[in-house]
């Protein structure tokens, strides 16, 4: 009997598809080395251990449902920028992202197991490996299903090097169809792509990160000869500046740096007669 763990081990070694691995193990009566050799002989694997090669290039892709109530962001990695810029590879990534989005997969492992064509997404990745000669992997996915009123939106930046998924909330159901709301959603996605916030609000910044910032600033101020009581007051101002640069709602709005994102939310909300909130966001950057 061929166990699921044996299939997974062969997949890890070869990066071949699940069905191909299961068939190879069946034909070799569970002999792992023989199965690797068989896959190589069939051209499914070009060299043993190839799946360990670095996959630091690739594309970020997004798919949002027509109703705007669900969306998925995926990072698919390959080995070289040459493949990442290949039109066929781009179309492939777009297609598997749509397929994954239409399933209920919420992480990379589940995404690889989603049915696709005559097999799974992982089988398709293995086929691309054979076609392109590079390891292709799903690094991560983010899935949002709308919680309440509002909409899910996405934005792909720099030809797929950066991608954003956003849930913009509202109190009224009809707000999602308002043009000003939709423009704000697009603008916030662009803002996130460009300014790379560390979190939505101050609550999202780890205490260890805040302490590290304070420690760095404290040592700098001590080196300048500042008195201890003055240092503590200056630290408050410096950490508030850090929050204004790192937290999405406190950042200067990318299209008008005289207002913060929070203020822009309030202004558009007042314009359309609703209260708007950024519920969550994800930002993927290739290689990060």
């Amino acid at each position: 009997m061929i166990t699921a763990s044996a299939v997974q081990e062969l997949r890890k070694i070869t990066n071949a598809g699940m069905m191909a691995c299961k068939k190879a193990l069946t034909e070799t009566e569970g002999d792992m080395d023989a199965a690797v050799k068989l896959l190589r002989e069939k051209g499914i694997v070009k060299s043993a251990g190839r799946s360990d090669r670095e996959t630091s290039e690739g594309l970020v892709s997004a798919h949002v449902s027509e109703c705007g109530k669900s969306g998925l962001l995926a990072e698919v990695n390959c080995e070289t920028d040459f493949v990442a810029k290949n039109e066929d590879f781009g179309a492939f990534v777009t297609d598997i992202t749509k397929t994954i989005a239409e399933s209920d997969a919420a992480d990379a492992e589940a995404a690889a197991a989603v049915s696709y064509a005559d097999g799974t997404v992982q089988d398709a990745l293995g086929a691309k490996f054979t076609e392109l000669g590079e390891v292709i992997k799903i690094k991560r996915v983010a899935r949002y299903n709308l919680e309440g009123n509002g909409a899910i939106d996405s934005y792909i930046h720099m030809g797929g090097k950066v991608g954003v998924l956003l849930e913009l909330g509202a109190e009224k159901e009809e707000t999602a169809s308002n043009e000003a709301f939709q423009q704000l959603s697009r603008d916030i996605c662009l803002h996130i792509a460009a300014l790379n916030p560390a979190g939505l609000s101050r609550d999202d910044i780890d205490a260890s990160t805040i302490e590290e910032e304070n420690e760095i600033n404290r040592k700098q101020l001590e080196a300048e000869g500042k008195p201890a009581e003055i240092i503590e007051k200056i630290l408050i101002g410096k950490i508030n500046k850090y929050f204004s640069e790192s937290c999405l709602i406190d950042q200067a709005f990318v299209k008008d740096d005289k207002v913060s994102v929070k203020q822009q939310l309030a202004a558009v909300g007042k314009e359309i007669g609703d209260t708007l909130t950024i519920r969550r966001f994800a930002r993927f950057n290739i290689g990060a």
Side-chain angles (χ1 to χ4, degrees):
M1 178 180 177
I2 305 303
T3 64
S5 60
V7 174
Q8 289 294 338
E9 183 180 352
L10 185 56
R11 285 178 65 188
K12 185 176 181 181
I13 294 170
T14 64
N15 201 48
M18 181 177 66
M19 297 307 296
C21 288
K22 185 175 181 179
K23 185 176 180 181
L25 284 167
T26 300
E27 290 184 23
T28 59
E29 299 181 344
D31 187 320
M32 190 64 64
D33 291 338
V36 171
K37 182 180 179 182
L38 180 61
L39 289 172
R40 292 181 66 186
E41 289 172 350
K42 291 183 175 181
I44 296 174
V45 180
K46 295 187 177 179
S47 63
R50 186 69 181 271
S51 62
D52 291 332
R53 289 181 58 162
E54 184 178 2
T55 52
S56 57
E57 297 292 341
L59 293 173
V60 180
S61 179
H63 181 81
V64 175
S65 63
E66 289 186 14
C67 62
K69 293 185 177 181
S70 67
L72 182 124
L73 189 68
E75 179 179 346
V76 181
N77 290 154
C78 58
E79 296 178 32
T80 66
D81 190 48
F82 176 78
V83 165
K85 291 179 177 178
N86 180 284
E87 288 186 9
D88 289 341
F89 179 74
F92 170 71
V93 171
T94 297
D95 196 43
I96 62 169
T97 300
K98 180 177 183 293
T99 299
I100 296 166
E102 292 172 347
S103 73
D104 59 0
D107 58 42
E109 184 177 357
V114 170
S115 295
Y116 181 83
D118 295 328
T120 65
V121 168
Q122 182 60 46
D123 293 327
L125 297 177
K128 280 294 173 184
F129 171 87
T130 302
E131 176 188 338
L132 301 172
E134 290 195 10
V135 175
I136 313 295
K137 295 180 178 179
I138 298 175
K139 180 179 180 180
R140 51 185 168 170
V141 302
R143 173 183 295 281
Y144 289 168
N145 294 314
L146 187 64
E147 298 177 355
N149 295 318
I152 307 294
D153 204 353
S154 68
Y155 174 66
I156 301 299
H157 189 53
M158 296 176 63
K161 294 295 185 182
V162 176
V164 172
L165 191 66
L166 169 73
E167 180 176 354
L168 184 60
E171 293 187 352
K172 299 176 181 178
E173 184 177 358
E174 62 270 23
T175 295
S177 60
N178 185 285
E179 187 175 342
F181 174 87
Q182 293 172 354
Q183 183 61 55
L184 176 65
S185 182
R186 290 191 292 270
D187 289 344
I188 293 175
C189 283
L190 174 62
H191 175 105
I192 294 167
L195 273 71
N196 190 19
L200 175 57
S201 68
R202 300 183 181 200
D203 293 338
D204 295 319
I205 307 300
D206 291 340
S208 60
T209 300
I210 297 171
E211 181 55 37
E212 182 179 351
E213 286 294 315
N214 279 331
E215 188 61 27
I216 291 170
N217 290 326
R218 183 180 284 109
K219 288 181 178 179
Q220 290 174 346
L221 293 168
E222 288 172 348
E224 294 171 7
K226 295 284 195 301
E229 63 275 13
I230 298 299
I231 287 176
E232 295 308 312
K233 292 180 180 178
I234 295 175
L235 286 177
I236 294 173
K238 284 186 173 292
I239 202 63
N240 283 334
K241 184 175 186 296
Y242 171 79
F243 286 141
S244 71
E245 294 172 346
S246 304
C247 301
L248 174 55
I249 61 173
D250 294 325
Q251 287 179 326
F253 187 47
V254 70
K255 296 186 78 172
D256 181 0
D257 61 9
K258 293 182 177 58
V259 299
S260 67
V261 172
K262 182 192 296 184
Q263 290 170 327
Q264 185 67 13
L265 278 167
V268 175
K270 183 177 180 181
E271 175 189 338
I272 64 180
D274 201 350
T275 300
L276 310 180
T277 56
I278 299 172
R279 295 197 181 113
R280 49 184 170 167
F281 72 91
R283 182 185 185 276
F284 292 171
N285 193 149
I286 292 293

